Amino acid sequence: MSEDNVKRISKINDDFDLNLFLYITRKNILLVILLLIVAVSSAFIYLRYTPPLFQASAIIQIGGDESERFESVFPGRRFADDDMAKKIELMRSQVFLDRAFRKLPLEIEYFSKGQILDYELYGNSPFLVDVKVKCPSFYQTPIYIEFVNDNNIILSHNIGGQEKEIKIFEGEFFDIGKAAIRIDILNHEAISKQQSLFSKDSYFFIVNRPDRIVPKYSSDLSISVLSSAAKTIKITYEGHNARKTADIVNAIAEEFGLYEIERKSESARRTLDFIDKQIDVIFDKLSESEFKLRNFKKEHQIDETSPSQLPTIFDRINNFETQIVKLEMEKRLYKDVKNSLKDESKTDVYNLVAILSGSEFKGNVANMLNNLRELLHNRERLLYEVTTSSGQIESLDHQIDIQKNMIINSIATLERNIKTKIAEYKNQILIYEDYMLDHKYGSNYSMIEYSRLKRVHAINEQYYNELVTKKAQYSISKAGFVPQSAILEKANTPGRPVSPISRNVYIGSFLFAMLLGSGIIVLRYLFFNEIASVQDIGKYTSAPILGIVPKYKKEVLENQLIVYRKPKSIISESLRSIRTNLQFIDNKKGSKLIAVTSTVSGEGKTFFSINLAGILAYSNKKVILIDSDMRKPKIHREFGEQNVKGLSTILSGIDKMENCIKKSYIDNFDYITGGPIPPNPSELIISEKMDEVVKNLKDNYDYVIIDTPPVGIVTDGMRPIMIADYPIYIFKAGFSKRMFINNLNNLVDKNNISKLSLVLNSVKSNFADYGYGRIYSYG
């Protein structure tokens, strides 16, 4: 056989066949419908048993007005901290959330029983509970309530595996062991209506452990930057109670403004305390200098109207004294900064700003302080994304410690320099004083000392007035504190849940079922290994196609002779077409031997053999049908005969052929049954006796049809196929595998059965076109 136009059989369909795809789709349509039903049912059950999840959001804006106010008090200093990450970290902190949640009724949760789910009665409970917990095991335990009447109430609970029922009265505290409880009824009508549906345990409540309230609700809280440019923060909370979600969000937004004022006021108070401390120190110095100045003037009878006799020396001494006072003040500020850096609890931006006010630090120290502040801000910003134990935080902590040590070391160096300069200035003053004494300027010495005291007093008075002015300005600024944040959008009670959304669930379930069903169809198409149409056969063999037999709509049981019962059916017409096509294989005159085989049992070779014999008999041809499948004989069942004698007894010499030939209920149609199952069917088939039987039958009949065993299972049918004038190979659409075609090709190529033709049996209507026009065109 030429293989030029024959395609190799593949395990996967690599060509698209629309008819085959539609066939597989129709074959699996019930599976797809079942998947859709299951998906929609699952969606319904999911929506029915899943508590709805609501979401509420509020938007706050962080302002920058405070920055200008603080800069007016301390020029050149960034006093207000408007860092967004720090604000968010503050709102996420447990201390802040605890303050906010304490303003909501979250300690006790009230629930009512529903048909399937339990519903929380936040803000809508028909009764109120007041509890004084004595034992921690009472927390997080459902306490069920049954209202017997307007006054009598039964509480039931299970704590530690022990179930208890306790009767109490409305409006009174009752000790139930692990707690004291009082219940006040607010709505008798609602309670009666609920208990008419559920006679018992229709309500229950849970007392939350105080230290678990923040962890419980913070897990569903989301705080994020909405817009960096607009400095807006979005607060979002998700929960199963719509009203509670809105209340939690609004409580956080409102508490942030109050908390911010308190925090700023605390920083302002600490700054004012520092200024007050400095004022006290300077006031003492001012009082001391004023007292000394007054006494010195009185003691030495100084006349301030008389001109100085030593103006140059006097100015220099005064200048040195002024520098010494300034250096002492600078030294004291350095000391305060150093102490603040050494004490972890005092390392605060606001304190440092207050300490720096009015100072004239060298550039290096100022730069190092700014770097330290940036590192502290970066650490707070990073804590929004990672934990304190992360490597990034540890690295920043190390840098902060290094920066603090650098500042402390630099300040120590500056303190030493200041001490050296003070000593130099004092030494210069001593030099000038000694000079005056050596040159006998003692008469002017009292005036010089008086001028020095006067200068010290003036400096102290100037610095004191400056601190008083700053205190007044800062006190006014503190009195005008307003929240830097503004609530741009308050949370409203959500009207519909964000999850589950019924429409999305149903659409998603439907699409999932469709995709799954489509995937199954595509996979079954790709791995479809059955012969569905003659096109499937023609791709893989060059053997001639004798014709097709359409699928019989009803189940064929014992009575397989369709051409007798329905001679005008489509099956009968297709067999007549096959009868005609036999002439194209061999048109010589004389009796013909037809051998029908298949690959496996169940492909319809017996059905085809019986009906082909019937069609030939209707054309006034003498036909005899031989059942040579002695391993599994079937033909006797069609005619209601006992299989006591037949081909096996003929070939075994037990019976004569004439005694085994039986007539059917169709004229010119005789048959020989398979007979009792012999122990050696293969030897009987290939025996000379079989050839003799066939020869004798061909002398008396126009057509001898042999129904052979499947050649794909046993070799019994090979001999009849090799000697037949019309060897016919049967495939069954939707049953026979494509690999069966290899058996057909082997018969043609290896056994040289050149006349072998094939018939496709049980073809569905959508695959009925086999190249010669649809069979329905016959009428």
Side-chain angles (χ1 to χ4, degrees), residues 20-85:
L20 176 60
F21 185 79
L22 295 177
Y23 164 72
I24 295 175
T25 302
R26 282 193 293 269
K27 190 175 181 180
N28 292 276
I29 193 65
L30 291 178
L31 175 61
V32 176
I33 294 173
L34 179 62
L35 288 174
L36 289 174
I37 294 174
V38 171
V40 174
S41 301
S42 301
F44 174 78
I45 294 173
Y46 171 76
L47 293 172
R48 192 76 175 88
Y49 287 89
T50 302
L53 188 65
F54 297 91
Q55 185 184 85
S57 300
I59 299 174
I60 63 175
Q61 185 178 43
I62 306 300
D65 297 338
E66 297 300 312
S67 176
E68 298 177 359
R69 181 182 292 113
F70 292 130
E71 287 182 10
S72 66
V73 180
F74 304 108
R77 307 297 180 188
R78 291 285 299 172
F79 193 82
D81 178 20
D82 56 356
D83 186 80
M84 300 288 286

Side-chain angles (χ1 to χ4, degrees), residues 125-141:
S125 175
F127 62 93
L128 289 180
V129 177
D130 191 3
V131 179
K132 297 177 181 178
V133 180
K134 300 179 181 179
C135 181
S137 62
F138 188 80
Y139 290 115
Q140 314 302 138
T141 302

Side-chain angles (χ1 to χ4, degrees), residues 445-680:
Y445 183 76
S446 59
M447 192 64 186
I448 293 172
E449 180 66 15
Y450 175 74
S451 298
R452 184 185 67 78
L453 293 175
K454 186 176 180 181
R455 184 61 178 171
V456 170
H457 177 268
I459 292 172
N460 289 334
E461 185 178 28
Q462 178 183 358
Y463 191 64
Y464 176 82
N465 291 335
E466 183 179 348
L467 289 176
V468 170
T469 301
K470 286 185 179 294
K471 178 180 179 180
Q473 292 176 344
Y474 199 77
S475 297
I476 294 172
S477 179
K478 176 187 174 185
F481 274 148
V482 294
Q484 282 187 262
S485 61
I487 301 177
L488 301 183
E489 181 180 321
K490 295 190 69 174
N492 297 318
T493 301
R496 61 180 61 182
V498 294
S499 174
I501 301 176
S502 301
R503 180 182 177 185
N504 294 347
V505 171
Y506 280 117
I507 292 176
S509 301
F510 180 82
L511 292 177
F512 175 77
M514 288 298 295
L515 289 174
L516 181 59
S518 300
I520 292 174
I521 291 174
V522 171
L523 287 176
R524 290 191 173 180
Y525 173 81
L526 291 175
F527 293 96
F528 186 78
N529 192 31
E530 299 173 0
I531 297 173
S533 65
V534 292
Q535 285 83 359
D536 291 340
I537 302 174
K539 295 176 184 177
Y540 308 110
T541 184
S542 59
I545 300 174
L546 194 60
I548 68 169
V549 178
K551 181 178 178 62
Y552 191 57
K553 294 183 179 179
K554 296 181 180 180
E555 186 177 2
V556 179
L557 298 174
E558 298 299 329
N559 191 1
Q560 300 190 51
L561 196 54
I562 304 299
V563 295
Y564 174 74
R565 292 188 288 114
K566 294 185 178 182
K568 295 184 179 180
S569 65
I570 297 176
I571 292 179
S572 299
E573 292 297 334
S574 66
L575 289 168
R576 292 188 181 97
S577 176
I578 292 173
R579 179 190 64 189
T580 302
N581 290 337
L582 287 172
Q583 300 175 7
F584 293 98
I585 297 176
D586 188 351
N587 198 24
K588 296 179 181 179
K589 293 182 179 181
S591 179
K592 302 296 183 183
L593 173 62
I594 301 175
V596 181
T597 190
S598 64
T599 308
V600 295
S601 179
E603 293 184 279
K605 61 181 181 56
T606 301
F607 170 81
F608 176 79
S609 300
I610 292 175
N611 285 278
L612 179 62
I615 285 293
L616 292 173
Y618 276 128
S619 62
N620 295 321
K621 301 292 184 181
K622 291 188 66 176
V623 181
I624 186 168
L625 175 62
I626 303 174
D627 188 354
S628 68
D629 191 356
M630 291 179 286
R631 298 175 186 270
K632 194 176 180 181
K634 296 179 181 177
I635 291 178
H636 64 281
R637 300 175 185 173
E638 167 61 28
F639 300 100
E641 291 287 343
Q642 296 293 324
N643 194 27
V644 295
K645 57 182 179 179
L647 184 61
S648 63
T649 58
I650 296 173
L651 298 179
S652 300
I654 299 174
D655 291 309
K656 292 183 179 181
M657 184 177 62
E658 293 81 5
N659 297 331
C660 295
I661 296 176
K662 298 178 181 180
K663 294 186 176 295
S664 70
Y665 39 80
I666 298 178
D667 294 339
N668 299 323
F669 184 2
D670 297 337
Y671 62 93
I672 299 175
T673 62
I677 300 175
N680 55 343

Side-chain angles (χ1 to χ4, degrees), residues 1 18 37-38 45 57 69 83 181 220 232 274 310 368 395 435 512 556 561 593 707 729 752-753:
M1 174 184 284
L18 180 60
I37 294 174
V38 171
I45 294 173
S57 300
R69 181 182 292 113
D83 186 80
I181 295 181
D220 298 319
T232 52
F274 173 80
L310 296 172
M368 284 188 287
S395 176
Y435 177 81
F512 175 77
V556 179
L561 196 54
L593 173 62
D707 180 14
Y729 204 99
N752 297 320
I753 306 176

Side-chain angles (χ1 to χ4, degrees), residues 22 49 84 157 181 187 192 200 205 246 256 324 331 353 412 502 520 549 636 664 747 766:
L22 295 177
Y49 287 89
M84 300 288 286
H157 60 77
I181 295 181
N187 192 334
S192 300
K200 189 176 181 181
F205 67 90
F256 178 72
I324 290 173
K331 182 180 178 181
V353 170
S502 301
I520 292 174
V549 178
H636 64 281
S664 70
L747 292 175
N766 54 312

